[in-house]
Amino acid sequence: WSFASRRELWRRLPALLDVVAGRLALVGVEPLPLAQAAALAEPWERLRFLAPPGLVQPWHGLSPGTWEPEEKRVMEGYYARTRSWAGDVRILLQSLRGLF
């Protein structure tokens, strides 16, 4: 589910139901369609599978702009390898700061 909005985070707000149901983590990697996930062949791209899919991704708290798919995969790989509770809280706080 999604809202029609210019802000990515607001648009994905209905996915909170998936977080409550346990299908998504609050912070995690971007959920990908199966065909797109199967196309990730490089070892550094597959690191993202060490972390669960989430409502908020690592780049949401960073400076606004469009990220290239390769940049997202690199950030997801780094997030998956260095994932921690404190890091998730930092990403959430940065994302909330970006909303306001």
Side-chain angles (χ1 to χ4, degrees):
W1 297 92
S2 67
F3 285 132
S5 173
R6 292 177 184 170
R7 301 286 253 168
E8 174 69 20
L9 197 56
W10 284 114
R11 194 175 59 140
R12 299 198 57 214
L13 201 56
L16 274 176
L17 296 174
D18 290 328
V19 172
V20 172
R23 292 185 291 266
L24 278 179
L26 196 53
V27 178
V29 297
E30 181 178 30
L32 294 177
L34 288 177
Q36 197 174 2
L40 301 176
E42 297 295 323
W44 66 268
E45 291 176 313
R46 294 195 165 271
L47 286 175
R48 71 181 308 282
F49 296 117
L50 296 174
L55 175 65
V56 177
Q57 284 78 43
W59 59 86
H60 281 155
L62 301 175
S63 63
T66 56
W67 297 95
E68 296 293 324
E70 294 81 19
E71 292 173 315
K72 288 181 179 181
R73 301 292 91 73
V74 168
M75 284 187 263
E76 288 174 339
Y78 179 77
Y79 168 77
R81 296 289 287 192
T82 61
R83 190 169 162 232
S84 69
W85 184 84
D88 287 355
V89 170
R90 181 184 50 80
I91 291 170
L92 280 174
L93 291 176
Q94 287 176 339
S95 298
L96 289 174
R97 186 188 71 207
L99 288 176
F100 304 106

